[in-house]
Amino acid sequence: MFAALLLTAVSAAAQQKATITGVAEIPFTSVPNFLKLPPGESLGESVAVATNSKGHIFVYHRRDTTRLFEFDRNGTFLKEIGKGYYGFEFAHSVRVDKDDNIWTVDEGTNLVTKFSPDGKVLMVLGRRPPAVDGPVVFPAGPNQPSQKYIFCRPTDVGFDPQGNIFVSDGYCNNRVVKYDKNGRFLAQAGSEKSGKMLGEFDLPHGLQVDERGNVWVADRTNNRYQVLDNNLKPIREITNLGVGWTLCISPGPHQYVFHSNSNPNGNAPGTWETTGEIYKTELDGTVIGKFGKPGKVAPGFQVVHMMDCRNPNELVLGEIESWRVQKFILPPTPLRTSTR
């Protein structure tokens, strides 16, 4: 009984209706089931998606083991990356940098790995807990003081124009960490302790960096997004778009931000009525519109854990509970004269 009550409490805490009103609906075309898997293969929890400069699609998913698949721009399977890799245990995020290197964030091994475009390991941040210690789902007791090069269930990774690396760390640490392009620690915001003030976090669940070098964080349990400067000093918070599950920032001279107010795992009673939409905004926070709603049948969403918006008019969404990846075509947004 206690476990059931705890689950209900956690689910309730992980949902929040967006308070913004009068937002325009963005029309869309759904392209479900566009990925073509080899015979005998299937997707598990598709928690992470990304694309490279060629339009290739990477899906980092949880199945019998954690797997990283690459597809071409038409959805045809190309190859698996990192099969049997020691850094894969419980997938959480995949990102592709400006040089088409592939980065995975694994919550189970506490590792962030940089792969070359052809799948060679180039860098590892963090350290996997030794196997002789046995599996540790969550640290017992208070969190240990955060360390420069050790993560505790990290969630996402991003990069600024200079190549610095930013990691949201995550489920037990509540911080964002900055490293230089060679992996040397530079700074952090937050700590092992959760907090609600600006510059503090309670489960930083997603992270991206815009072309100005500002760091955007989906501060999930605080039901907000935070924007930090390049030195991780807080600039502002966004509190009217619901949960703050994940976000994506499109590249190019005019950037857009997509925010996922996702329904939580388990689909607790009432969550379909209060969450599930994707919001599109300018960098200055102006909300352009929204689209989508929860649903087990496409084009509905079932826990949008990650989005790719390399082309802001073609979103690729990775879902946990329906074990699928969907593609959505959106109409272009007329450009404003300035977002500054």
Side-chain angles (χ1 to χ4, degrees), residues 311-331:
N311 180 342
N313 304 320
E314 295 185 4
L315 263 62
V316 181
L317 308 183
E319 303 171 56
I320 298 178
E321 295 209 354
S322 286
W323 297 12
R324 67 186 172 201
V325 174
Q326 293 191 70
K327 183 176 182 179
F328 288 82
I329 309 300
L330 310 181

Side-chain angles (χ1 to χ4, degrees), residues 56-238:
H56 291 186
I57 303 152
F58 300 88
V59 181
Y60 193 38
H61 61 113
R62 305 167 182 166
R63 217 182 69 174
D64 50 338
T65 59
T66 280
R67 313 282 291 275
L68 176 58
F69 288 174
E70 180 180 356
F71 302 83
D72 70 15
R73 65 184 308 115
N74 298 313
T76 301
F77 180 84
L78 294 177
K79 64 178 183 289
E80 180 173 359
I81 296 171
K83 185 175 183 178
Y85 175 53
Y86 187 63
F88 288 176
E89 181 69 31
F90 196 66
H92 201 275
S93 174
V94 63
R95 300 286 186 182
V96 178
D97 66 22
K98 63 181 178 60
D99 298 315
D100 278 350
N101 298 305
I102 308 145
W103 295 71
T104 59
V105 180
D106 195 282
E107 183 189 339
T109 61
N110 294 329
L111 294 179
V112 177
T113 303
K114 176 184 180 181
F115 294 92
S116 68
D118 60 359
K120 179 182 178 181
V121 175
L122 300 178
M123 180 187 293
V124 177
L125 294 173
R127 183 169 187 264
R128 178 171 181 158
V132 293
D133 291 343
V136 179
V137 177
F138 217 96
N143 293 335
Q144 296 298 310
S146 58
Q147 302 180 53
K148 292 180 178 179
Y149 299 102
I150 300 294
F151 302 127
C152 190
R153 300 183 68 187
T155 55
D156 210 348
V157 64
F159 327 96
D160 68 13
Q162 291 71 44
N164 294 309
I165 306 159
F166 299 81
V167 177
S168 51
D169 177 39
Y171 274 87
C172 32
N173 284 330
N174 295 278
R175 62 175 183 162
V176 172
V177 193
K178 179 180 180 179
Y179 301 92
D180 70 15
K181 63 182 180 180
N182 297 311
R184 181 178 179 180
F185 175 90
L186 296 176
Q188 78 171 35
S191 70
E192 71 280 1
K193 298 178 181 178
S194 63
K196 297 183 180 299
M197 302 294 289
L198 283 179
E200 298 177 341
F201 308 96
D202 193 347
L203 208 179
H205 194 255
L207 176 149
Q208 284 287 267
V209 185
D210 65 30
E211 290 297 327
R212 304 173 192 174
N214 292 334
V215 182
W216 295 61
V217 184
D219 190 7
R220 196 174 97 183
T221 306
N222 279 329
N223 295 311
R224 66 181 178 183
Y225 299 88
Q226 288 197 62
V227 185
L228 315 176
D229 69 16
N230 198 254
N231 295 313
L232 303 183
K233 304 302 181 184
I235 298 175
R236 61 189 172 96
E237 62 180 353
I238 301 168

Side-chain angles (χ1 to χ4, degrees), residues 11 18 26 29-30 45 47 130-131 144 164 167 202 258 274 285 291 294:
S11 297
I26 301 175
T29 301
S30 172
E45 292 183 341
V47 294
Q144 296 298 310
N164 294 309
V167 177
D202 193 347
F258 294 87
T274 59
F291 72 97

